[in-house]
Amino acid sequence: MEQQKRYGHFDDQHREYVITDPKTPWPWINYLGNEDFFSLISNTAGGYSFYKDAKFRRITRYRYNNIPMDNGGRYFYIKEGDTVWNPGWKPCKTPLDFYECRHGMGYTRITGRKNGVEASVLFFVPLGKWAEVQKLTLTNQSSDVKTLKLFSFEEWCLWNAATDMENFQRNFSTGEVEVEVPNLAISTSNNSSKIEAPTPDVSNSSKIEAPTPDVSNSSKIEAPTPDVSTSGATIYHKTEYRERRNHYAFYHVNAEIQGYDTNRETFVGLYNELSEPEAVLEGRPRNSHAHGWSPIASHYIEVTLQPGESKDFVFLLGYIENEQDEKFSAPQVINKQKAYALIESLNTTEKVDKAFAELNQYWDKLLNIYKVKTGNDKLDRMVNIWNQYQCMVTFNFSRSASFFESGIGRGMGFRDSNQDLVGFVHQIPSRARQRIIDIASTQFPDGGCYHQYQPLTKRGNNDIGGGFNDDPCWLIFGTVAYLKETGDFSILDEMVPFDNQPGSEVTLFEHLKISMDHVIKNLGPHMLPLIGRADWNDCLNLNCFSWDPNESFQTTENVSEGTKAESLMIAGLFVVTGKEYVALCKELAKRTENLELKTERCDYSQDGEQSTTGNHTSQFSTLSSQFSAEAARMQQAVDAMIEAVKKHGWDGEWYLRAYDFYGRKIGSNECDEAKIFIESQGWCTMAEIGAEDGMVAKSLDSCKKYLECEHGMVLNNPAFTKYIYEYGEISSYPEGYKENAGIFCHNNPWVIIGECLAGRGNDAWAHYAKILPSYVEEKYQTLHKVEPYVNCQMVAGKDAFKPGEGKNSWLTGTAAWMWLTVSQHILGIKPEYDGLRIDPCLPSTAGDYTVQRKFRDAQYTITIHPNGAQKGVKQIVLDGSAIDGTVIPYSPGEHTVEVTM
Ligand code: BGC
Ligand code: NOJ
């Protein structure tokens, strides 16, 4: 095994991961922003920002898969004499005397030291603001007076991140900026475009002269900055603002500057790299104005620091939208009122510190909802900090923007988003609620779904279309999780359209119903669900049949109508979600019945008269019996599916994966390769299909025997070594990677939950710890390559060239599934309609632990005494009295719970 170097460590007290070597095996990133304005930031300050949509409102430019990797970001250049360095090491890569990057909850702090000067930058997006704050603190730690030249740097993206990368015949002519530097009396806009800033006097750069505004046309000159609060210097990016765009961006610093640049070529030099910008190397800005080409924003500040002295500079990268009729303050001059207000709110250290404290409190609150203390730091830090944090990030971004997803390719996935919200719903239920409605609004009237939708428009994505037959079930999965967390049944009455068509609205409950029916109406020859284009495994394309390398596996259906190939994964998913649906219908029947009783009581009390009672009760009892009937109808379908799986989906030692177009078994001992797949083992064991016949136990044993390896369970075994035309993309991958026998961290939890339901706590824990980032971090920082504080989608499997190497970190359904697994099944605190179910499944070595759970308007302190048991609650004492069963009935207020296993 190669020597595993360490690049960082956890700091649990501050909820941070501390990176101590900038040369991480891959950029280790963090996310800033919670709702509208977002940034990705690497440990060397690389990355980019966008407003809401990573494709259509990209604010700063980024080049993916660059040489060197991760080049481009928000950079500060510090020049002292002939030495130029950056606090985050890149891009100059000047060796630092000290380097540290602390990724925290919604912020990143990067600190560098060189020759007695410390530069520490705190990056975050304040709550409710459309801006990234970069608070730079320069400290002179030496005993000499320090004279420094400071340059900031951001490169603007021309809004649409896709065309920004490709349409240069246009792009190179559209770029426009405005600059406001009140203290230098430089106030130029597009209108002074013909004046190029004079080259500053090198011999005396502190006295740079401002370009003279065009007095001959003073009506077009922008008014001087109105008030002191906006003093400082601002560079505005306003490409295309003249026509349809109502938005611009700006980069501000709250200090006097002695120069600036806005034209990339002038600042960097056409043949220079970002590590050697000409302006920086020469220590002299050009006061350049971008007209087309590539606009950037760079401030130049001269800083003198006495020994021990420290100075703060607040840089602000902001985004503004104006009403159509308020776009301009003068012809072609952008209306900056909103920018001034935004700047005003964050232009001092005090204001920034306050906003930062608010962000920290926000996370305190979110992370207080579920908190565990087991004494095992590796478990506690994942549960209390990083897993929950990753769930929020994944909820926010779906699969759009990471260092593996360019942000321009994919919209929000129907199944992805339903899973993401399950990991997030306890944090901010109202946002999960809205997400459910948005997702359901893209459903088709027959229950099928657009596979993806665009976050900005919330419309289904026509390019990819529908036909992924697992999609409908996930809506039930997501909605039920919301209902159990909140008890807010009103969501079921929300009127939700089909395909976003006004007038097509039905209740959300109706959407759930047609989701179930979509499966029932699309059964194949073995009465198992038809797979369509694919199920959860996007790469098992059993109706595709493609030899054309220019076709997409996911959207090609060129031979069959999809009436033959069947999926055992969907079968298991249908049984799991079907049982939930049945339980929901019964719950609704019970609730409407209770309503009926309440109405009766209330009607009788009104002067002894019984006026409308008859109507109410009959209405409710009809409703109630309708729900009961619906429960019975679906129970039958679920039972039939269970029978079909037992009859046609069992291979002797494990569940089959699928039937192909020709009716041949996939994932069977009869196959040459890929004899066993993980997805059907996960879902059919979670569905407990055939548990009574020993199927569940055998399936779980087979996962251990055939799928498990050092780094987790592979997706299939053995890997495919050749392309199988009728299987699609899955067999196109090299052995051990991605859907061909890679370790999908996403589906390992399915088997782990299967283990938990079966009460096999030792096995569940062994599988869980293998993919738990904090355990991997301890052993494999180099091999694992990607961030050690979050899960990645895929780790190379045992058949790969480099088993254990991780890829596709951050944005993966793994986050939500890891959360479900540990919070509900291992630690065993599971929301139900009426309360919290306590039913842990633990390794026999587990000691006592305490969970603090805020649930609706109640706060529970739950202490579990496992006594060596893996499963099985013997007694629950709630506020001093023993209760029956394993569900603590919900009631507002504070409660103490003692659980003996
Ligand atoms: C990847 C899948 C992904 C799919 C859809 C495939 O190439 O392997 O993981 O879900 O594309 O984008
Ligand atoms: C990534 C996709 O986002 C997800 O929906 C899919 O299930 C997995 N890939 C597995 O193919």
Side-chain angles (χ1 to χ4, degrees):
M1 196 185 79
E2 75 189 274
Q3 183 59 32
Q4 293 291 313
K5 190 174 172 336
R6 292 184 68 78
Y7 298 86
H9 57 266
F10 288 99
D11 175 346
D12 296 338
Q13 201 200 328
H14 296 101
R15 298 188 301 224
E16 290 171 338
Y17 193 82
V18 188
I19 301 165
T20 48
D21 181 340
K23 280 186 262 183
T24 47
W26 191 255
W28 287 357
I29 73 164
N30 194 12
Y31 287 83
L32 315 177
N34 292 291
E35 286 192 334
D36 296 329
F37 189 105
F38 296 106
S39 299
L40 279 67
I41 181 164
S42 72
N43 58 306
T44 57
Y48 57 90
S49 304
F50 61 92
Y51 171 78
K52 279 191 184 170
D53 188 305
K55 178 175 178 182
F56 291 114
R57 286 293 183 284
R58 190 71 68 95
I59 295 169
T60 52
R61 182 173 285 160
Y62 193 74
R63 292 171 192 79
Y64 320 92
N65 197 8
N66 210 343
I67 306 175
M69 187 59 194
D70 187 27
N71 222 21
R74 53 299 259 172
Y75 292 139
F76 293 103
Y77 297 89
I78 298 165
K79 181 169 161 66
E80 184 188 9
D82 288 336
T83 307
V84 179
W85 58 282
N86 313 100
W89 182 61
K90 283 191 70 163
C92 293
K93 297 193 277 184
T94 306
L96 299 174
D97 302 333
F98 173 84
Y99 158 89
E100 185 183 86
C101 167
R102 289 177 172 262
H103 286 316
M105 307 288 103
Y107 69 89
T108 288
R109 193 192 296 271
I110 297 179
T111 305
R113 260 179 237 150
K114 186 76 188 168
N115 298 336
V117 174
E118 179 179 281
S120 190
V121 199
L122 171 67
F123 301 90
F124 71 103
V125 173
L127 295 172
K129 302 276 190 215
W130 294 355
E132 176 184 305
V133 167
Q134 306 161 357
K135 187 181 91 169
L136 166 68
T137 306
L138 288 175
T139 308
N140 181 357
Q141 299 181 330
S142 78
S143 46
D144 306 320
V145 175
K146 292 279 182 185
T147 313
L148 311 170
K149 294 180 172 183
L150 171 69
F151 295 81
S152 67
F153 176 80
E154 295 267 10
E155 182 177 5
W156 302 114
C157 179
L158 306 186
W159 307 119
N160 180 327
T163 57
D164 183 68
M165 294 196 305
E166 56 188 30
N167 193 359
F168 302 107
Q169 60 81 24
R170 182 172 196 276
N171 296 352
F172 284 165
S173 293
T174 58
E176 289 188 290
V177 297
E178 288 181 34
V179 181
E180 269 190 342
V181 189
N183 52 305
L184 273 187
I186 303 175
S187 181
T188 61
S189 70
N190 209 41
N191 312 300
S192 53
S193 62
K194 291 191 192 87
I195 308 173
E196 265 308 329
T199 316
D201 182 357
V202 218
S203 61
N204 190 352
S205 59
S206 66
K207 286 195 194 122
I208 300 171
E209 263 188 67
T212 327
D214 185 350
V215 267
S216 64
N217 192 349
S218 57
S219 70
K220 282 193 191 157
I221 298 175
E222 202 177 330
T225 318
D227 66 79
V228 264
S229 60
T230 59
S231 70
T234 315
I235 295 163
Y236 297 87
H237 175 229
K238 61 168 189 176
T239 298
E240 286 185 350
Y241 190 77
R242 49 177 67 224
E243 12 90 32
R244 294 173 300 169
R245 294 198 181 276
N246 65 345
H247 40 269
Y248 63 88
F250 65 83
Y251 193 36
H252 170 86
V253 61
N254 70 341
E256 283 194 10
I257 68 169
Q258 286 76 41
Y260 60 86
D261 273 294
T262 70
N263 185 37
R264 191 181 81 204
E265 219 173 283
T266 318
F267 179 76
V268 182
L270 186 56
Y271 294 105
N272 285 36
E273 316 220 350
L274 282 181
S275 57
E276 42 173 17
E278 278 178 9
V280 177
L281 294 191
E282 285 177 28
R284 125 187 124 74
R286 272 58 168 163
N287 295 356
S288 60
H289 277 258
H291 304 285
W293 302 112
S294 292
I296 58 154
S298 171
H299 307 93
Y300 169 70
I301 306 175
E302 295 178 349
V303 188
T304 305
L305 291 174
Q306 299 303 318
E309 193 186 355
S310 195
K311 276 187 186 157
D312 283 343
F313 300 89
V314 180
F315 290 84
L316 197 66
L317 177 72
Y319 171 87
I320 300 290
E321 286 185 354
N322 276 336
E323 293 300 319
Q324 199 59 29
D325 54 357
E326 289 173 357
K327 278 175 70 174
F328 300 98
S329 62
Q332 295 192 29
V333 176
I334 47 179
N335 176 353
K336 305 187 181 63
Q337 291 311 317
K338 286 190 187 170
Y340 295 152
L342 179 50
I343 290 168
E344 220 281 316
S345 70
L346 288 161
N347 62 351
T348 64
T349 299
E350 294 68 38
K351 291 177 194 173
V352 164
D353 290 350
K354 187 164 169 275
F356 186 55
E358 281 164 14
L359 179 66
N360 286 321
Q361 285 151 15
Y362 172 83
W363 275 104
D364 284 344
K365 217 175 135 202
L366 288 180
L367 296 176
N368 272 335
I369 297 169
Y370 192 123
K371 242 181 154 164
V372 72
K373 198 166 175 1
T374 66
N376 172 350
D377 290 346
K378 287 198 277 293
L379 177 61
D380 291 0
R381 70 169 61 109
M382 292 318 296
V383 174
N384 296 336
I385 306 171
W386 293 98
N387 193 174
Q388 298 199 58
Y389 183 56
Q390 187 180 4
C391 283
M392 158 79 92
V393 170
T394 314
F395 177 86
N396 285 340
F397 292 92
S398 188
R399 305 297 170 270
S400 76
S402 74
F403 271 31
F404 294 90
E405 302 273 10
S406 66
I408 54 187
R410 312 232 324 242
M412 312 274 282
F414 194 98
R415 77 162 84 92
D416 294 337
S417 296
N418 272 303
Q419 290 169 81
D420 296 343
L421 74 87
V422 166
F424 170 79
V425 62
H426 65 291
Q427 297 188 26
I428 310 180
S430 58
R431 291 186 63 200
R433 189 184 205 274
Q434 185 58 47
R435 183 67 56 83
I436 292 169
I437 306 286
D438 290 347
I439 299 170
S441 305
T442 66
Q443 196 168 26
F444 299 118
D446 74 346
C449 315
Y450 277 109
H451 195 48
Q452 293 177 7
Y453 72 97
Q454 294 309 125
L456 205 61
T457 60
K458 298 190 175 175
R459 298 282 158 148
N461 179 339
N462 272 314
D463 299 339
I464 182 137
F468 292 72
N469 284 351
D470 62 315
D471 276 337
C473 292
W474 294 108
L475 186 62
I476 292 150
F477 182 73
T479 308
V480 164
Y482 172 80
L483 291 172
K484 290 187 173 175
E485 181 66 38
T486 60
D488 165 27
F489 282 78
S490 73
I491 191 176
L492 295 174
D493 301 327
E494 289 288 339
M495 296 302 284
V496 181
F498 292 112
D499 194 4
N500 287 102
Q501 294 307 311
S504 66
E505 292 82 359
V506 298
T507 62
L508 179 65
F509 180 77
E510 198 61 25
H511 279 265
L512 301 188
K513 185 173 170 200
I514 61 158
S515 295
M516 295 304 306
D517 283 337
H518 188 267
V519 179
I520 301 173
K521 288 183 184 153
N522 287 280
L523 298 177
H526 301 92
M527 300 309 278
L528 293 165
L530 291 169
I531 195 168
R533 290 188 201 278
D535 58 23
W536 172 86
N537 190 330
D538 285 319
C539 301
L540 191 61
N541 315 119
L542 304 181
N543 295 300
C544 176
F545 303 95
S546 177
W547 276 113
D548 179 350
N550 302 319
E551 282 175 347
S552 147
F553 282 106
Q554 259 105 66
T555 53
T556 306
E557 247 179 285
N558 57 6
V559 169
S560 91
E561 290 292 306
T563 52
K564 300 237 172 66
E566 299 166 296
S567 161
L568 266 302
M569 181 265 157
I570 305 182
L573 173 67
F574 176 81
V575 173
V576 170
T577 49
K579 285 180 183 170
E580 288 292 359
Y581 179 85
V582 169
L584 173 62
C585 291
K586 288 185 179 162
E587 181 69 24
L588 290 170
K590 189 179 94 193
R591 281 172 188 249
T592 33
E593 212 166 275
N594 287 346
L595 270 183
E596 178 186 336
L597 294 176
K598 265 192 212 152
T599 326
E600 260 174 37
R601 247 180 267 134
C602 147
D603 285 340
Y604 277 114
S605 65
Q606 279 167 7
D607 304 331
E609 260 185 59
Q610 218 195 319
S611 56
T612 55
T613 310
N615 285 342
H616 275 162
T617 46
S618 66
Q619 190 192 328
F620 287 132
S621 56
T622 320
L623 246 182
S624 172
S625 52
Q626 276 170 0
F627 284 128
S628 299
E630 178 62 1
R633 179 180 82 97
M634 203 51 64
Q635 186 62 54
Q636 269 183 9
V638 168
D639 292 343
M641 188 67 76
I642 293 174
E643 282 318 304
V645 173
K646 284 174 147 178
K647 195 157 166 213
H648 300 293
W650 181 248
D651 198 53
E653 272 189 88
W654 56 78
Y655 302 96
L656 289 176
R657 176 63 175 89
Y659 282 96
D660 72 11
F661 174 74
Y662 305 104
R664 291 184 304 227
K665 293 174 183 170
I666 298 180
S668 158
N669 210 9
E670 292 166 19
C671 301
D672 293 337
E673 299 186 326
K675 289 167 181 284
I676 170 172
F677 282 78
I678 197 169
E679 302 98 317
S680 43
Q681 314 317 317
W683 280 100
C684 295
T685 58
M686 282 195 281
E688 302 182 290
I689 298 174
E692 63 289 356
D693 306 326
M695 288 180 181
V696 166
K698 275 189 196 158
S699 160
L700 294 170
D701 288 341
S702 295
C703 291
K704 275 189 1 185
K705 198 161 158 196
Y706 302 109
L707 300 177
E708 194 181 19
C709 71
E710 194 192 342
H711 305 283
M713 285 175 275
V714 298
L715 192 146
N716 54 289
N717 188 60
F720 292 101
T721 57
K722 47 190 178 297
Y723 177 53
I724 303 180
Y725 177 54
E726 60 269 29
Y727 285 11
E729 184 168 2
I730 190 165
S731 55
S732 75
Y733 280 111
E735 297 85 325
Y737 292 98
K738 291 287 283 174
E739 280 86 343
N740 183 15
I743 297 159
F744 257 75
C745 299
H746 188 151
N747 55 34
N748 275 238
W750 301 344
V751 174
I752 303 173
I753 294 175
E755 292 279 9
C756 288
L757 295 175
R760 304 168 27 146
N762 289 331
D763 291 324
W765 177 260
H767 287 307
Y768 176 71
K770 276 192 176 171
I771 57 167
L772 194 65
S774 51
Y775 278 86
V776 179
E777 189 256 5
E778 197 182 44
K779 268 168 114 177
Y780 291 128
Q781 296 197 2
T782 309
L783 172 64
H784 190 67
K785 216 172 160 86
V786 288
E787 294 87 340
Y789 34 92
V790 291
N791 271 109
C792 57
Q793 180 211 41
M794 198 250 350
V795 174
K798 60 191 167 69
D799 310 283
F801 174 71
K802 212 176 198 184
E805 193 175 62
K807 290 194 185 102
N808 309 346
S809 53
W810 278 103
L811 304 186
T812 158
T814 312
W817 278 102
M818 287 297 271
W819 176 248
L820 266 190
T821 300
V822 71
S823 66
Q824 300 193 3
H825 296 279
I826 295 180
L827 299 173
I829 317 291
K830 187 175 187 305
E832 298 284 2
Y833 296 123
D834 292 331
L836 285 178
R837 182 181 301 283
I838 317 289
D839 191 13
C841 183
L842 304 160
S844 37
T845 51
D848 293 0
Y849 63 95
T850 302
V851 174
Q852 300 280 349
R853 178 61 153 103
K854 183 179 175 308
F855 181 58
R856 303 179 200 167
D857 292 322
Q859 177 69 46
Y860 294 95
T861 302
I862 306 162
T863 303
I864 317 251
H865 309 280
N867 298 317
Q870 295 181 54
K871 179 99 170 178
V873 165
K874 288 206 184 109
Q875 194 189 41
I876 297 181
V877 177
L878 167 66
D879 297 328
S881 324
I883 60 161
D884 288 337
T886 51
V887 179
I888 329 171
Y890 167 70
S891 73
E894 285 190 23
H895 305 282
T896 312
V897 185
E898 292 285 327
V899 181
T900 314
M901 292 175 65

